[in-house]
Amino acid sequence: MYGSRGVGASVARRASAAVLGAALLATGCSGDGDGDGANGGGGTGAGAGITQRPKDVTPFWVNPDGTAARQLAALEKAGKKDEAARIRKIAEQPTGEWISPDNPEEQARGFTEAADKAGRTALLVLYNIPHRDCGQYSQGGAADGDAYRAWIDGVAKGIGDRPATVVLEPDAVLHLVDSCTPDQFHEERYDLLKGAIAKLTALENTKVYLDAGNAGWGKPDQIFEPLKWAGIDRADGFSVNVSNFYTTEDSIAYGKELSAKVGGKHFVVDTSRNGNGPYTEGDPGERWCNPPGRALGETPTVRTADPLVDAYLWVKRPGESDGECKGGPKAGQWWGEYAVKLAQGSD
């Protein structure tokens, strides 16, 4: 999905948001940094010094015991003040909590309870659709439709009536359009997405944004009808640029053009790593993977440049590796050196 359509389907698949954010899904790890997802960050661990952002700037919860917060504590303990100052740029921002396949109810409850206790909204990413990532780097997902419905039920039960914003299934619609997902799975996927949207939007305080690709993938006229078939009319809006590097300006232009085709729906933009835009050098097939010279983008906020944009979010957690390329660890694992460079790029 990354870059232009002319790059080719194989490159597009490699650059899916799945690769960039979800190795923790394969391992069962979650965003609280300890692998179980249940605590949701209690504020009593390594990141106890992390505070919440002003609510009028961003209502989203900052996990005080997340991976970046733990890295920050370790750097401060080691006296590495410059590196710690840069990691603090990440640790003090709300980022998406990717719900792993196991115990979704427990994870969703842990994160939303911690967020609610802090007077904030949990930002959750759901990425478990069957036949995920077309069998590529982040392949997996629920075993079948029934398993996925049960997983969504668990997430919904865990959220309950607490505030939550959900980014639903990065790449799921996109891969129906780019011929990556085999035809025999299309009807079921549309049904599963519609069902997930209906289930989650029925919750009292949950907003749902269905993923809609990115500015570098293709034209909105290729995806707006599939978004409708997937139930965008019942969602609160859609998300763009998840785990990608396209500029906020380009992402807003893409989102506005798409919004006009789906009933004026609002959208959110992932600005986690787009401070310097996309990488355009080296092997086109690996530009998406741990690209050098990138930078943190706009910090999460509801104060955006356009009324159609509900928020800039950090859906992807800056500092997690995209995969074993350019010296990085496995996808989804924390890479402190890269995190420091992202923060340094935004100095």
Side-chain angles (χ1 to χ4, degrees), residues 142-344:
D144 54 33
D146 288 340
Y148 185 76
R149 293 183 186 95
W151 186 77
I152 290 292
D153 287 346
V155 172
K157 189 174 181 180
I159 294 172
D161 62 359
R162 291 176 290 276
T165 291
V166 173
V167 174
L168 183 64
E169 296 297 342
D171 297 332
V173 177
L174 180 65
H175 282 166
L176 293 174
V177 181
D178 67 5
S179 301
C180 177
T181 301
D183 290 347
Q184 63 264 35
F185 302 133
H186 286 205
E187 183 177 356
E188 179 188 60
R189 179 166 296 183
Y190 284 125
D191 182 67
L192 293 177
L193 291 171
K194 285 190 293 186
I197 291 170
K199 185 77 175 184
L200 295 165
T201 55
L203 300 175
E204 185 177 356
N205 294 303
T206 296
K207 291 185 177 181
V208 179
Y209 293 87
L210 178 63
D211 190 62
N214 64 79
W217 167 74
K219 296 181 179 179
D221 60 8
Q222 296 172 299
I223 198 172
F224 80 91
E225 285 188 342
L227 284 171
K228 290 181 177 179
W229 300 334
I232 189 66
D233 60 316
R234 294 194 61 174
D236 293 275
F238 56 90
S239 59
V240 300
N241 204 48
V242 170
S243 295
N244 272 281
F245 300 86
Y246 293 98
T247 66
T248 303
E249 181 181 7
D250 288 346
S251 295
I252 292 176
Y254 171 78
K256 288 180 70 173
E257 188 176 351
L258 182 54
S259 174
K261 297 177 180 293
V262 292
K265 286 289 184 177
H266 286 212
F267 58 98
V268 295
V269 180
D270 185 353
T271 60
S272 57
R273 306 185 300 177
N274 73 346
N276 286 339
Y279 185 59
T280 58
E281 301 178 13
D283 180 358
E286 285 200 350
R287 287 174 179 170
W288 59 271
C289 192
N290 299 322
R294 300 310 91 196
L296 303 174
E298 289 94 339
T299 55
T301 183
V302 292
R303 298 176 178 177
T304 68
D306 193 279
L308 280 174
V309 184
D310 286 345
Y312 302 148
L313 303 176
W314 284 9
V315 182
K316 162 73 175 183
R317 300 194 199 108
E320 289 183 353
S321 175
D322 296 331
E324 295 176 280
C325 61
K326 302 181 182 69
K330 291 182 179 180
Q333 291 188 5
W334 180 257
W335 189 8
E337 180 183 352
Y338 194 73
V340 169
K341 289 179 180 178
L342 284 171
Q344 185 174 10

Side-chain angles (χ1 to χ4, degrees), residues 47 49-64 87-95 114-115 118-121 123 271-272 296-304 311-314 318:
I50 300 299
T51 58
Q52 301 300 316
R53 297 277 309 283
K55 201 170 184 178
D56 61 337
V57 175
T58 177
F60 301 104
W61 176 62
V62 178
N63 187 340
I87 292 297
R88 182 173 287 278
K89 291 184 179 182
I90 298 174
E92 290 188 334
Q93 302 302 328
T95 58
R120 298 297 189 275
T121 298
L123 176 61
T271 60
S272 57
L296 303 174
E298 289 94 339
T299 55
T301 183
V302 292
R303 298 176 178 177
T304 68
Y312 302 148
L313 303 176
W314 284 9

